[in-house]
Amino acid sequence: MTLDQALAEARGKYALIIDLNKCTGCRACELACHQRNELPGDMSYIRVYPKQKPDGSPYFLPVQCQHCVKAPCESVCPTGATYHHESGAVLVNDKTCVGCRYCMVACPYDARRYDEEKGIAEKCWLCLDWVLGGGVPACVQACAPGARIFGRLDDPDSEVSQLIASGRAKPLHPEFGTEPGILFYIFPGE
Ligand code: SF4
Ligand code: SF4
């Protein structure tokens, strides 16, 4: 394999599936994100929400940037600081973000966090440096119950591809129309 081929492969599409049947609400993902990104206070790019099933029993819903294909945060960004990487991840260029926060208003998943000190509206970047090096995001490493499944979407044999192809893993709030590109969920009972 040539270097170009290796790089092209390393930049292939990824998916992160959260199995809500396995999530215990421990919030280790929130903390791992906070620590990995050296975020101020108790800031994290992940929020774990307590929810109720129709029968009244509890479950937990971790939410972070869904890396939307039709990302409204990208289209409203006046400087082009929010952009799509070839891996499908939606990233923020901290040198060109002017802190206008239009993206925070535009994101229907409330996935942006404003860092007052830096003046930047940040978000999950999938720990892409680790991923391109062959690793997994910090939240995936931290999830002891194995509720977070990370892998290659452009490999039809990967666990993530199979879960999505089977219809078990689905986007969160498809009615928002933003087409989540990397985050998918296995909902309670599915
Ligand atoms: S680390 Fe895993 S089990 Fe814990 S809250 Fe996050 S997704 Fe759920
Ligand atoms: S979830 Fe929000 S921040 Fe992430 S790509 Fe979609 S609109 Fe942008």
Side-chain angles (χ1 to χ4, degrees):
M1 186 185 287
T2 67
L3 179 60
D4 279 351
Q5 281 170 326
L7 275 176
E9 195 170 309
R11 284 161 189 248
K13 286 273 293 168
Y14 300 95
L16 171 53
I17 297 174
I18 304 178
D19 186 344
L20 302 182
N21 299 290
K22 290 189 179 164
C23 175
T24 60
C26 69
R27 301 173 71 188
C29 50
E30 262 188 30
L31 182 64
C33 174
H34 166 81
Q35 290 175 336
R36 198 269 128 120
N37 292 297
E38 298 178 357
L39 298 175
D42 59 358
M43 190 192 283
S44 173
Y45 301 146
I46 301 172
R47 273 191 196 145
V48 180
Y49 295 101
K51 295 274 180 187
Q52 270 194 342
K53 297 178 200 167
D55 68 3
S57 59
Y59 73 99
F60 296 90
L61 177 66
V63 180
Q64 64 205 76
C65 175
Q66 312 287 303
H67 298 277
C68 308
V69 175
K70 294 181 182 168
C73 62
E74 184 177 11
S75 50
V76 299
C77 179
T79 66
T82 297
Y83 67 100
H84 267 90
H85 183 260
E86 51 262 62
S87 63
V90 177
L91 303 180
V92 185
N93 182 340
D94 60 2
K95 294 186 179 60
T96 51
C97 173
V98 291
C100 68
R101 307 188 220 186
Y102 289 177
C103 55
M104 297 183 75
V105 177
C107 173
Y109 294 92
D110 192 21
R112 293 289 189 137
R113 300 287 172 271
Y114 187 68
D115 187 324
E116 298 277 350
E117 213 168 278
K118 293 186 192 154
I120 295 168
E122 299 176 322
K123 63 186 239 357
C124 161
W125 58 298
L126 218 65
C127 299
L128 209 54
D129 55 344
W130 291 359
V131 168
L132 293 178
V136 299
C139 59
V140 177
Q141 281 185 32
C143 182
R148 289 174 171 263
I149 308 155
F150 184 79
R152 296 282 298 259
L153 202 53
D154 52 356
D155 171 4
D157 295 328
S158 70
E159 187 179 3
V160 290
S161 293
Q162 304 236 333
L163 282 167
I164 293 167
S166 72
R168 264 193 88 207
K170 298 176 189 141
L172 179 68
H173 294 308
E175 71 277 13
F176 290 164
T178 65
E179 292 182 20
I182 293 184
L183 267 281
F184 295 86
Y185 292 80
I186 299 175
F187 291 97
E190 294 194 5

